Amino acid sequence: MFNVFIITLREGVEIAIVLAIIISYLKQLGQMKETGKIWLGTGAAALISLLIALGIFFILGTTEIEGFQAVLEGTLKIVAVIMLTWMTIWMKRQGGNIGGELKRQIQVAISRGSAWTLISLAFVSVLREGIETVLFIVGSAQETSAVATISGSILGFGVAAILGYILYRGTYHLPLNSFFTVMSILLIVMAAGLLSGGVHEFQEIHMIPVGIEQLWSTKAFLDQKSMIGGLLKAIFGYADSPNLVQVLAYWMYLLGALYAYFKPKNL
């Protein structure tokens, strides 16, 4: 549940910030009558994201083609890692530019009297985060129960909604830079585990070599099927008997992603 909570909290806060910026700027312009269009776009994006998630889970749960499920799960995990990494680093690089770009698009939409531009602005912003969230949840949900996945999602989005309301009201100053830094590091570590799991899926059907089949074994100390081992596997991709290619994929990604995240812009 923790991994789902972290991804939904972070992505939920990103969505909340975007919506808070849009609605606050509409209020500043005296155009609060346009907020209905923002919520329409937001609702449509959330619905599509939910339908995509249900569709993927349905396919995973009903397919009987030999090897297809492993290919699909492995592909989803790797695609989720790529999207998550790209968006995390992109958000770090954009910094304070996002608010300015959103305000510019709002001004253009209002000057043209275009309802569809406002709807699409909210729709695209929320759908981007929604699909990223869905892919990560689907990829990690293979190690998590349905109840834990749903509970983590509700809790994460619920906390994000509260934080978003606080931001909109301006009641408290939230340390968003610190929040996103901590969340991003956690997500990169979890993505490393997800990548390792994706590699393992393809190894199960002999599409990726294993190198050395068992590099080490900590099964005697912490079995990945135990309660704690299972929790660590679901969150960080822990494996009690990893193979060489899994370990290389994990550490090469982790070190490369952390370097890209913290690398100064001028390098």
Side-chain angles (χ1 to χ4, degrees), residues 102-156:
L102 285 171
K103 290 177 181 178
R104 186 191 66 78
Q105 293 180 45
I106 292 170
Q107 288 176 336
V108 171
I110 291 176
S111 65
R112 294 177 179 175
S114 174
W116 285 111
T117 302
L118 279 175
I119 293 172
S120 64
L121 176 61
F123 177 79
V124 171
S125 299
V126 175
L127 185 64
R128 181 179 60 233
E129 306 296 341
I131 291 177
E132 182 182 346
T133 304
V134 165
L135 288 174
F136 193 94
I137 289 175
V138 170
S140 60
Q142 309 308 316
E143 313 295 340
T144 311
S145 69
V147 173
T149 299
I150 294 171
S151 300
S153 300
I154 293 173
L155 187 59

Side-chain angles (χ1 to χ4, degrees), residues 2-125:
F2 180 77
N3 54 341
V4 177
F5 169 73
I6 291 297
I7 184 65
T8 51
L9 175 62
R10 186 186 186 280
E11 301 303 317
V13 168
E14 285 187 14
I15 293 171
I17 289 173
V18 169
L19 294 177
I21 290 172
I22 293 173
I23 295 173
S24 295
Y25 193 56
L26 287 173
K27 184 177 181 181
Q28 183 181 331
L29 295 174
Q31 297 288 337
M32 286 299 285
K33 65 181 184 295
E34 305 291 349
T35 54
K37 300 179 179 67
I38 301 301
W39 293 119
L40 178 61
T42 300
L47 178 61
I48 290 176
S49 298
L50 179 60
L51 291 175
I52 291 173
L54 292 175
I56 294 174
F57 277 120
F58 176 78
I59 293 171
L60 286 173
T62 58
T63 183
E64 297 180 356
I65 302 174
E66 185 177 357
F68 175 75
Q69 189 168 12
V71 171
L72 183 57
E73 288 181 10
T75 301
L76 287 171
K77 288 178 180 181
I78 292 172
V79 170
V81 170
I82 292 171
M83 284 192 66
L84 180 69
T85 307
W86 180 77
M87 282 302 298
T88 298
I89 295 172
W90 180 80
M91 283 291 292
K92 174 77 181 302
R93 295 285 182 263
Q94 288 299 306
N97 297 332
I98 297 175
E101 179 61 23
L102 285 171
K103 290 177 181 178
R104 186 191 66 78
Q105 293 180 45
I106 292 170
Q107 288 176 336
V108 171
I110 291 176
S111 65
R112 294 177 179 175
S114 174
W116 285 111
T117 302
L118 279 175
I119 293 172
S120 64
L121 176 61
F123 177 79
V124 171
S125 299

Side-chain angles (χ1 to χ4, degrees), residues 192 195-196 216 245-258:
L195 176 63
S196 177
W216 63 71
V245 174
Q246 272 186 291
V247 173
L248 287 175
Y250 185 98
W251 285 104
M252 287 175 67
Y253 166 80
L254 182 61
L255 295 175
L258 288 175

